[in-house]
Amino acid sequence: MRKRLRSTIKWSGTVLTVLLLVVWVGSAWWACTLFLPTSLLASVMSGQIYVEWREPVSVHWSQVQWVGPYRASTQFAWWFARQTFSTPGGSITTSTSVPLWSLVCLSALPTTWIWYRDRRRAPGLCAKCGYDLRGADHAVCPECGAAAPKALKAES
């Protein structure tokens, strides 16, 4: 069960990382926007996810518009940003942008670590630390204390 779960996490993380990477690179040329009039705007453009909302938030699902993909024309964003300002009508507007590279890193780092931990060792090496156990007659690895593979015990 644990092996199946690790495999599922490993492959899901890989797919998520590749999709985020494609969206990040593609957002340099193309943008998409989800627009709810009077309250919410969410868009992927210029290497970032940009969200803007007005308070009080009023969501009318019948007015949801999806715009895109369209040609992105702004400069590529590399860092986080947050801005709050008041509009002449008295409402408060807040905008936040999160660079997509940060989401790529958030999915790629743990996925890479799981792939690294699950790599296979060559025959005759300790499965835990990689110490060469060929020719040794130990029941445990002298380097890390892990049990030696059964095949090596039988050869001795």
Side-chain angles (χ1 to χ4, degrees), residues 32-36 40-44 50 61 64-67:
C32 293
T33 301
L34 178 66
F35 182 66
L36 280 72
L40 182 68
L41 170 95
S43 125
V44 175
Y50 176 82
W61 293 108
V64 173
Q65 297 175 354
W66 177 259
V67 181

Side-chain angles (χ1 to χ4, degrees), residues 50 52-55 83-87 91-95:
Y50 176 82
E52 181 180 295
W53 65 94
R54 288 183 193 93
E55 295 176 11
Q83 186 178 24
T84 302
F85 52 91
S86 296
T87 59
S91 63
I92 298 172
T93 301
T94 305
S95 66

Side-chain angles (χ1 to χ4, degrees), residues 1 4 17 23 33 53-54 63 97 116-117 131 141 153-154:
M1 177 68 179
R4 182 180 292 169
T17 301
V23 169
T33 301
W53 65 94
R54 288 183 193 93
Q63 298 175 344
S97 66
Y116 175 77
R117 295 285 295 166
Y131 186 79
C141 173
K153 292 177 190 173

Side-chain angles (χ1 to χ4, degrees), residues 66-80:
W66 177 259
V67 181
Y70 57 90
R71 206 77 166 126
S73 60
T74 58
Q75 190 176 15
F76 212 68
W78 289 98
W79 204 243
F80 301 87

Side-chain angles (χ1 to χ4, degrees), residues 95-150:
S95 66
T96 302
S97 66
V98 177
L100 284 165
W101 65 261
S102 63
L103 300 178
V104 170
C105 288
L106 277 175
S107 66
L109 291 175
T111 302
T112 303
W113 182 77
I114 290 173
W115 277 98
Y116 175 77
R117 295 285 295 166
D118 285 353
R119 70 191 187 287
R120 291 198 174 113
R121 300 278 187 181
L125 301 181
C126 175
K128 186 173 181 182
C129 69
Y131 186 79
D132 190 358
L133 296 172
R134 291 175 291 194
D137 56 353
H138 303 289
V140 296
C141 173
E143 189 74 20
C144 68
K150 294 176 187 171

